[in-house]
Amino acid sequence: MATDVTVPTLGESITEATLGQWLKKPGDPVKADEPIASLETDKVAVEVPSPVAGTMGEPVVAEGDTVQVGALIARIEAGSGAASAQPQAAAKAPEVAATPVNPQGAGENIELRDAAEASQDSSLTLSPAVRRLVLEHGLDPSRIKGTGKDGRLTKDDVLAAAQNAPSAPAKAGAQTSAQDWVPASAGTQERKEERVRMTRLRQTIAKRLKEAQNTAALLTTFNDLDMSAVMEARAKYKDLFEKKHQIRLGFMGFFVKAAALAARDVPSVNAYIEGDEIVYHDYLDVSVAVSAPNGLVVPVIRNADKMSFAEIEKTIADFGRRAKDGTLSMDDMKGGTFTISNGGVFGSLLSTPIINPPQSAVLGMHRIEERPVVRNGEIVVRPMMYLALSYDHRLVDGREAVTFLVRMKEALEDPTRLLIDL
């Protein structure tokens, strides 16, 4: 007897998703409530649990297919799955044996096939993107430590393993033998292209960013910030802070508190346009851009203006972990009145970030770099950071944007202002 597995309710106003990855193969044993598939929605990845214990049946839809809420995607058969897995493997064996080998890519085919077999032997469940990287670099996934949820491999894990892997003479020899098949008239190595379907999340990101460009009157203003005081305060109190709150003291807490202070003086930065009205907020919900395996996600720190440094840092750390594991929920993404994006962690010196509609402003943080500056008539070296504020000029005037950045600069260069609300 088989039990149907259908697409669960995905959240308000969301009616469809993309089947991003099967987490179980046909014949695999499945426990009740164990995830068997991952769905990609416009905002987050949602895992589909098995309603009963049994054996994974043949999927009804393929990875990359669009499915509606309530649609049938798989069936769970009764039984442990050990017996059914062997006949399926035997049935697939002739297909592998009958696969033709292209002599022009003989070396490459052997290498990719070895990597694929290693992947199967390791009993690992790999996403299409991770599987492609494993094949490209000729790695054994069973020897790579996964940092994703339940120990799954992520793209970062594979890239790190590829970077640390020693060069293999055998691989070079395989490439040479493959190149021997290329006619001398070709002159250069074969050039390849690959077409990969955009994930639903990436499609949504592209759509929203283009919508922001088409709708808002975007403008960016800049200022530089001396990080000496913040760095000194952090170095002085980070050990005590971590001991008391069990969380590291980072820079983001300072910037969120400074943004809340500046937004009180310039409320239009924390507002948005709705029709022919301006909606002002007496609270600050900060959207924080977080890098996830499938793209950029923007969870929201709610009532950030009323939070302590420890509460802000704990919330951000929790978002980072759940973004990496793919367990952020729809509610984590909803709302947001202002966005902070930290490109500095990737080494960015300067940027013009794009607002997150319907918000009217986004703050861009950048890398800290020692630069010569003039202080009291003398040239000194200071740890400097460029701040960028992109805003909707329909709502925020240039004077207000500059004032907002100046207020942030004043608060961060003299963190005492954050304590006495100046």
Side-chain angles (χ1 to χ4, degrees):
M1 180 178 178
T3 302
D4 292 347
V5 181
T6 59
V7 178
T9 302
L10 301 173
E12 184 180 355
S13 75
I14 298 179
T15 60
E16 63 180 20
T18 299
L19 200 297
Q21 177 186 358
W22 284 110
L23 305 179
K24 290 291 183 178
K25 301 175 183 177
D28 285 352
V30 179
K31 300 177 183 178
D33 296 325
E34 184 178 9
I36 63 170
S38 176
L39 299 175
E40 295 177 354
T41 69
D42 291 348
K43 295 184 178 181
V44 293
V46 179
E47 290 184 338
V48 180
S50 171
V52 295
T55 303
M56 182 68 183
E58 289 290 339
V60 178
V61 297
E63 292 181 354
D65 289 352
T66 298
V67 292
Q68 303 291 325
V69 172
L72 175 68
I73 59 172
R75 291 185 174 87
I76 304 299
E77 307 288 346
S80 63
S84 59
Q86 293 179 355
Q88 290 175 357
K92 291 183 179 180
E95 296 181 11
V96 175
T99 302
V101 177
N102 179 8
Q104 291 187 344
E108 180 182 350
N109 287 339
I110 292 173
E111 180 184 344
L112 297 184
R113 186 165 62 250
D114 290 343
E117 290 173 355
S119 172
Q120 293 173 357
D121 293 341
S122 66
S123 300
L124 297 175
T125 301
L126 306 180
S127 69
V130 171
R131 187 180 300 114
R132 183 170 63 251
L133 284 176
V134 168
L135 296 177
E136 287 177 356
H137 294 284
L139 300 174
D140 182 356
S142 64
R143 298 185 179 182
I144 305 174
K145 184 178 179 181
T147 60
K149 185 177 182 181
D150 298 329
R152 296 177 195 151
L153 293 184
T154 66
K155 291 192 292 185
D156 291 340
D157 297 332
V158 178
L159 291 174
Q163 185 177 3
N164 297 330
S167 57
K171 181 178 178 181
Q175 292 177 345
T176 302
S177 63
Q179 293 171 3
D180 290 341
W181 290 95
V182 179
S185 59
T188 59
Q189 294 183 354
E190 181 183 359
R191 303 195 307 169
K192 299 180 181 180
E193 293 182 352
E194 182 182 11
R195 293 181 180 270
V196 179
R197 183 182 178 87
M198 292 175 67
T199 64
R200 181 174 292 272
L201 176 59
R202 177 53 58 185
Q203 293 179 45
T204 302
I205 291 173
K207 180 180 178 181
R208 287 178 62 82
L209 293 181
K210 190 58 184 173
E211 176 189 348
Q213 285 185 321
N214 293 339
T215 304
L218 289 177
L219 186 62
T220 305
T221 188
F222 305 93
N223 212 323
D224 60 352
L225 168 65
D226 186 344
M227 289 288 291
S228 298
V230 170
M231 294 176 69
E232 289 172 4
R234 180 174 180 268
K236 183 176 181 180
Y237 296 110
K238 65 178 183 179
D239 292 337
L240 289 173
F241 186 89
E242 185 171 3
K243 183 178 180 180
K244 180 176 181 178
H245 301 289
Q246 288 76 52
I247 189 71
R248 292 181 60 190
L249 176 61
F251 291 128
M252 189 61 80
F254 289 91
F255 281 84
V256 171
K257 297 291 283 186
L261 198 64
R264 295 177 187 173
D265 292 341
V266 189
S268 59
V269 170
N270 191 39
Y272 61 78
I273 296 175
E274 189 174 87
D276 57 357
E277 297 178 333
I278 300 174
V279 180
Y280 292 96
H281 307 93
D282 64 352
Y283 54 88
L284 182 72
D285 286 352
V286 178
S287 303
V288 182
V290 176
S291 181
N294 293 329
L296 194 70
V297 293
V298 192
V300 180
I301 306 174
R302 306 193 188 280
N303 298 313
D305 54 320
K306 298 178 178 62
M307 282 186 168
S308 66
F309 277 83
E311 290 171 332
I312 293 171
E313 294 294 349
K314 287 180 179 179
T315 303
I316 294 173
D318 178 59
F319 284 154
R321 285 191 297 268
R322 291 198 285 145
K324 189 174 184 179
D325 295 341
T327 57
L328 286 172
S329 68
M330 294 292 180
D331 290 337
D332 294 325
M333 310 288 187
K334 289 181 181 178
T337 60
F338 180 74
T339 295
I340 297 179
S341 176
N342 186 6
V345 296
F346 304 109
S348 172
L349 175 65
L350 201 60
S351 68
T352 56
I354 300 178
I355 64 174
N356 182 23
Q359 297 174 21
S360 296
V362 52
L363 178 75
M365 298 168 55
H366 303 91
R367 76 169 184 250
I368 302 170
E369 185 177 59
E370 289 191 340
R371 292 198 296 269
V373 295
V374 177
R375 294 290 185 267
N376 300 321
E378 295 182 355
I379 299 177
V380 294
V381 176
R382 291 286 188 268
M384 303 296 293
M385 175 193 288
Y386 287 117
L387 292 180
L389 183 73
S390 291
Y391 56 97
D392 188 348
H393 211 344
R394 298 178 302 166
L395 174 59
V396 183
D397 295 331
R399 177 181 60 82
E400 295 174 311
V402 172
T403 300
F404 181 87
L405 281 185
V406 169
R407 292 289 181 272
M408 288 202 64
K409 177 182 173 72
E410 291 172 345
L412 292 167
E413 291 185 344
D414 182 9
T416 306
R417 289 173 172 265
L418 299 176
L419 302 177
I420 59 179
D421 196 15
L422 280 179

